[in-house]
Amino acid sequence: MGRFVVFEGGEGSGKSTQARRLADRWGALLTFEPGDTEVGRRLREILLSPETGDLDIRAEALLMAADRAHHVATVVRPALLRGRDVVCDRYVGSSVAYQGHGRGLDPHHVAALSAFATDDLRPDVVVLLEVPPEVAAERLAAAGTPDRLEAAGADFHRRVAEGYRVQAAADPARWLIVDGHGSEDEVAARVDAALAAAFPNPPT
Ligand code: TYD
């Protein structure tokens, strides 16, 4: 099995950049949720487009889980089984943080839904990139028109951040909290150091 590393964090945490950089360094498959399959692209459109309008939160959770089920079955698990390392930008932790803590569904129900969706495939490591809310807001403002979830408001995003901290605290062997402050290179060096401790004997 290849190594399976997930990047998590709030909007503007820089995790997509860091996921890409790690995948480059490792020669790993870079993938993301929601939307990295043909079916997923259609689900992503419903999930993130402001044109969707009102979407029941259980329906939102189920569509995220549907995207994940298809993504794991057709992309992630086959790659890992071939021995390929996989770096995924968002995974189960996003659903627990956003649909659970953010939207107010029971985080345990959301986790159980993802366990079903993935047939219990868990990452070896989750890198949680943390940035102070002001930095995230600045980066987000620079990024243009917000999508449905980005537009959900400051309280929502505070609950999401808390949801991540709760998950990291509950599973400290798997979750590595990395300071997302500073330049891309500085953060990448921190990610590397954290992963070197998590994978002391990398494959050659
Ligand atoms: P994306 O454009 O990929 O954003 P980011 O650069 O922030 O990763 O949008 C993904 C959005 O979907 C983001 O707001 C988080 C949200 N999301 C959930 O609410 N639940 C989930 O399970 C996943 C995977 C993402």
Side-chain angles (χ1 to χ4, degrees):
M1 285 284 267
R3 295 171 287 182
F4 183 18
V5 175
V6 166
F7 279 75
E8 293 283 5
E11 318 292 328
S13 62
K15 76 189 159 32
S16 303
T17 305
Q18 294 300 329
R20 177 173 43 75
R21 291 181 58 136
L22 177 67
D24 285 350
R25 291 200 291 282
W26 279 11
L29 177 68
L30 174 64
T31 187
F32 66 93
E33 294 185 355
D36 202 11
T37 62
E38 195 43 50
V39 169
R41 266 185 281 285
R42 294 156 80 174
L43 294 171
R44 179 183 171 93
E45 171 66 23
I46 299 172
L47 280 161
L48 300 188
S49 169
E51 279 173 27
T52 296
D54 201 24
L55 178 62
D56 175 73
I57 58 177
R58 286 169 191 266
E60 181 178 284
L62 286 161
L63 290 172
M64 290 289 182
D67 170 74
R68 181 160 304 126
H70 192 66
H71 181 225
V72 166
T74 63
V75 176
V76 178
R77 198 187 299 273
L80 292 170
L81 287 172
R82 286 196 307 272
R84 186 94 195 265
D85 294 329
V86 175
V87 175
C88 191
D89 182 355
R90 296 194 181 281
Y91 193 60
V92 176
S94 284
S95 285
V96 172
Y98 283 75
Q99 281 66 53
H101 295 263
R103 295 291 198 212
L105 293 175
D106 181 336
H108 296 104
H109 288 171
V110 177
L113 185 61
S114 273
F116 171 75
T118 62
D119 200 7
D120 276 329
L121 180 70
R122 293 178 185 207
D124 297 304
V125 163
V126 181
V127 177
L128 175 60
L129 281 184
E130 281 208 322
V131 294
E134 319 79 72
V135 176
E138 244 169 58
R139 290 180 182 173
L140 206 60
T145 317
D147 65 33
R148 268 186 70 252
L149 284 138
E150 285 165 355
D155 280 350
F156 175 84
H157 290 286
R158 259 192 294 281
R159 291 195 298 276
V160 168
E162 176 60 18
Y164 276 129
R165 281 191 289 272
V166 168
Q167 293 181 77
D171 192 1
R174 197 184 314 265
W175 284 68
L176 311 176
I177 300 181
V178 172
D179 178 3
H181 235 130
S183 71
E184 273 185 44
D185 286 348
E186 285 164 347
V187 180
R190 282 182 215 128
V191 169
D192 255 355
L195 287 172
F199 296 102
N201 302 303
T204 46

